Amino acid sequence: MRTIICTAAALAVAGPACAQDIVVTPLIETRTRYEHVEQDGLDAAADAWTVRVRAGAELGHGNWAALGEAQGNLALVGTYDDGLHGAATRPLVADPQDVAIYRAQLQYRSTPLTVTAGRQRIALDDERFVGNVGFRNNAQTFDAVRAVLAPLKGVKLDLSYAWDVRTIWGTDGRGARQRGVGGDNLFANLSAATPVGTLTGFAYLVDQDEQEVQGFRLASQTYGARLAGSRALGPLAKLRYQLSWATQSEHHRNPNRYTAGYWLADATLDMRGWKLNGGYEVLGADRGAALTSFQTPLGTNFKFQGWADKFLTTPANGVRDFYAGGGYGWKKLGRVDALTLQATWHRFESDRLGQHYGDEWNLLATVQVKKTLLSARYARYMADRLATDTSKFWLQLDWSY
């Protein structure tokens, strides 16, 4: 719902015509989630039943808009390690209780240029390097200034300077799990539409300017390119594809000297409700003595390399992920707007030394009815040379106004 109101000054000057209208858009969304985790090596399981609420509003006038949104996360059942409180005798569920300002931003919008200043979401491309971590209840936002310029059709320049990263650990975060990580972070994307897809060149300078955050070892500079597109295969099928390459090295006060590479090749075939997907992703390791690997501390890492979260931090020997999966989706089944089922298998190996880390299965079922989404998710990691066997189950209900 969008409501138009008039300022008092406008009423005095323009009367009933209200020359200066303000459009008010309410922002309301809720999430209820149950997460159960069993992990070898820990005697007790984790059970987390959380409720998250976000509420706020956007006020727009002409080319300008101001947005404010608060967020609260409450644990109704809290028999889990939230990463901040208590002993780590149970598996980690990274959803600590928290109440905070989620977004507070001022935005200027025009046809060629959009500028946003303040606490905001930034999600670039597939969120591999810079993302919102939307799966976690507290999510990730940035205190930043961002400018998006579209000078020509099909061409876009996206520039951001972020001086603080508001992490998923909330206002009580501390130590290596800080509530906010300061630094001079620079994100640059330049994309252009081509006959084979959108070609993007990017540069991400991540400045983790906190001694507690692994002693500055996550500060890095990453440069690369990405191609994402699709191609119709007859009237009933479509092939979607993406290719990415990047190189990363130390930045600012990072004491390590390293160079590590990144590769991604991914393809999805859509055909009459069926989806078949496969890909190969490599977060490489430096070949020198430091054994430093490609890291993505600001990415939405839950989306990649399995939902069991064994590779949120890349191992010293790097990781290679070969994955394949498929699913089927139905539309308009009675009152149900959409129903989907999918399964994905991962095989994880090191980038150097030829180690087999383990394998993982991911299963997902979703049901959507209007603005309500119900999802059931399962992850099973079977360890070989890295971590321990882990099973996770989620049941989640999302609703937005």
Side-chain angles (χ1 to χ4, degrees):
M1 180 181 71
R2 307 177 74 194
T3 304
I4 298 178
I5 63 175
C6 302
T7 64
L11 284 172
V13 175
C18 190
Q20 299 183 25
D21 293 338
I22 297 179
V23 178
V24 180
T25 304
L27 305 170
I28 304 173
E29 60 177 274
T30 65
R31 169 185 289 173
T32 301
R33 178 162 68 208
Y34 170 71
E35 181 170 347
H36 175 80
V37 186
E38 296 180 5
Q39 181 176 318
D40 281 7
L42 296 175
D43 294 334
D47 289 286
W49 178 18
T50 56
V51 176
R52 187 196 71 192
V53 177
R54 290 179 183 157
E58 183 182 59
L59 281 68
H61 173 63
N63 295 104
W64 293 90
L67 185 151
E69 188 175 18
Q71 171 181 274
N73 183 53
L74 174 66
L76 301 180
V77 174
T79 53
Y80 65 96
D81 172 21
D82 68 3
L84 301 176
H85 306 97
T89 57
R90 296 177 184 270
L92 175 67
V93 176
D95 287 328
Q97 295 190 105
D98 188 56
V99 176
I101 299 300
Y102 179 59
R103 288 189 292 170
Q105 65 185 51
L106 180 65
Q107 187 175 75
Y108 171 80
R109 296 180 290 215
S110 66
T111 300
L113 176 66
T114 299
V115 179
T116 307
R119 185 163 300 172
Q120 57 188 286
R121 286 192 294 240
I122 301 179
L124 301 179
D125 296 324
D126 59 357
E127 300 187 55
R128 192 41 165 136
F129 304 109
V130 180
N132 178 234
V133 198
F135 181 78
R136 300 277 39 130
N137 283 347
N138 294 317
Q140 176 172 272
T141 55
F142 299 82
D143 291 346
V145 175
R146 181 183 185 186
V148 180
L149 177 65
L152 301 171
K153 183 178 179 180
V155 177
K156 184 176 72 172
L157 176 64
D158 193 327
L159 299 173
S160 298
Y161 166 67
W163 58 89
D164 199 10
V165 181
R166 312 303 295 186
T167 73
I168 64 172
W169 303 110
T171 55
D172 290 337
R174 59 187 180 275
R177 293 167 175 158
Q178 301 233 337
R179 63 180 181 179
V181 183
D184 298 316
N185 300 282
L186 299 174
F187 314 137
N189 266 38
L190 178 60
S191 62
T194 74
V196 294
T198 300
L199 181 62
T200 303
F202 54 83
Y204 303 132
L205 276 63
V206 175
D207 180 13
Q208 298 282 288
D209 195 15
E210 297 287 347
Q211 177 64 36
E212 293 86 350
V213 182
Q214 301 200 25
F216 308 112
R217 291 194 298 273
L218 296 181
S220 64
Q221 50 185 326
T222 302
Y223 305 94
R226 179 174 186 266
L227 176 67
S230 62
R231 182 75 60 181
L233 302 178
L236 300 176
K238 177 179 287 188
L239 178 66
R240 306 178 191 274
Y241 49 86
Q242 53 180 326
L243 301 169
S244 294
W245 167 86
T247 183
Q248 183 180 95
S249 59
E250 76 282 350
H251 177 58
H252 197 49
R253 285 189 282 178
N254 189 331
N256 295 317
R257 296 295 177 264
Y258 76 100
T259 300
Y262 172 85
W263 297 88
L264 171 69
D266 179 274
T268 301
L269 178 64
D270 294 344
M271 184 174 57
R272 290 188 174 184
W274 288 97
K275 284 190 177 182
L276 301 176
N277 172 254
Y280 184 59
E281 185 184 40
V282 178
L283 278 75
D286 181 83
R287 299 312 191 210
L291 299 183
T292 305
S293 54
F294 198 107
Q295 301 292 334
T296 59
L298 302 184
T300 300
N301 296 340
F302 179 82
K303 293 176 58 178
F304 302 86
Q305 298 179 337
W307 301 330
D309 283 347
K310 297 301 180 182
F311 301 95
L312 296 181
T313 299
T314 308
N317 288 323
V319 58
R320 299 181 180 184
D321 175 19
F322 172 78
Y323 57 92
Y328 189 81
W330 296 263
K331 294 183 179 180
K332 290 299 181 182
L333 294 175
R335 295 184 179 181
V336 174
D337 294 319
L339 170 64
T340 62
L341 301 172
Q342 70 178 63
T344 304
W345 169 77
H346 296 262
R347 179 177 175 86
F348 301 111
E349 297 180 346
S350 64
D351 182 51
R352 65 186 301 275
L353 301 184
Q355 297 176 336
H356 174 228
Y357 289 147
D359 298 272
E360 181 171 332
W361 278 100
N362 293 159
L363 307 175
L364 175 65
T366 63
V367 178
Q368 184 170 0
V369 180
K370 296 183 179 179
K371 295 183 178 181
T372 301
L373 181 66
L374 175 65
S375 61
R377 192 185 301 255
Y378 176 77
R380 172 64 175 169
Y381 177 76
M382 296 155 286
D384 185 1
R385 299 289 296 277
L386 183 124
T388 58
D389 291 356
T390 302
S391 296
K392 295 188 177 186
F393 171 77
W394 300 264
L395 186 63
Q396 179 173 316
L397 183 67
D398 289 283
W399 175 86
S400 60
Y401 182 78

